[in-house]
Amino acid sequence: MNIGKYTSMSALKNALRKEMFVALNETVEMSYQDLKTNVNHFYDSEEGNYKRTYQLMNAPQAKEISCSGDSAMGEICIDTDSPNYDPAGRSVQTIYNYAEAGGLRGNGNFWSKTEEDIPKNIEKSFGKHFK
């Protein structure tokens, strides 16, 4: 953060908010990239007899960052809004839960690995902006 003179508490708070938004945006982007990498790792295992649809590969999303007053929020997720996973006739959420738990042919734990990376991303980005 640019250390300088601020003429009022309001000006200081605005500068802090702007820097917080930049740091949060970086954190969300890094975490989103981690999620995509971890989801793609799901497919690094043998396919077997089942022909993969690669629907999970396209499911990671980064949501818009929202700021209100002194708080800000960023979100990443795996899109589960599709009604059913066609080949199985089950909900997308159910199939992704199986995949995460290692219950499908693929490397699970993609979401839990991403959750482990988020605090590191926060530390890196916010540490850079708020030394």
Side-chain angles (χ1 to χ4, degrees):
M1 181 171 165
N2 183 15
I3 304 293
K5 290 186 176 185
Y6 297 93
T7 57
S8 67
M9 183 58 99
S10 176
L12 175 60
K13 285 179 98 173
N14 284 337
L16 289 169
R17 285 182 184 128
K18 286 178 186 175
E19 204 68 23
M20 181 177 64
F21 179 82
V22 171
L24 181 58
N25 194 43
E26 287 177 8
T27 301
V28 169
E29 182 58 30
M30 286 188 290
S31 300
Y32 172 64
Q33 293 304 321
D34 288 341
L35 178 58
K36 286 178 23 177
T37 297
N38 294 334
V39 165
N40 288 343
H41 178 61
F42 175 82
Y43 296 101
D44 289 343
S45 67
E46 293 280 329
E47 188 171 9
N49 294 335
Y50 175 75
K51 192 71 175 159
R52 290 185 168 147
T53 66
Y54 295 92
Q55 186 173 339
L56 176 62
M57 188 180 288
N58 297 316
Q61 294 183 341
K63 301 286 186 168
E64 187 174 325
I65 293 172
S66 63
C67 297
S68 177
D70 293 339
S71 63
M73 183 181 80
E75 179 183 359
I76 60 169
C77 66
I78 296 177
D79 179 20
T80 58
D81 289 340
S82 302
N84 283 318
Y85 183 75
D86 291 331
R90 297 200 175 143
S91 75
V92 170
Q93 181 68 56
T94 299
I95 296 300
Y96 289 178
N97 287 344
Y98 290 152
E100 171 69 13
L104 298 179
R105 193 174 294 260
N107 298 308
N109 298 312
F110 43 85
W111 183 255
S112 61
K113 288 176 186 172
T114 303
E115 285 181 320
E116 289 173 13
D117 291 336
I118 291 172
K120 296 172 201 166
N121 294 338
I122 291 170
E123 182 67 33
K124 182 178 180 180
S125 183
F126 278 81
K128 179 175 71 174
H129 289 274
F130 296 97
K131 295 177 184 169

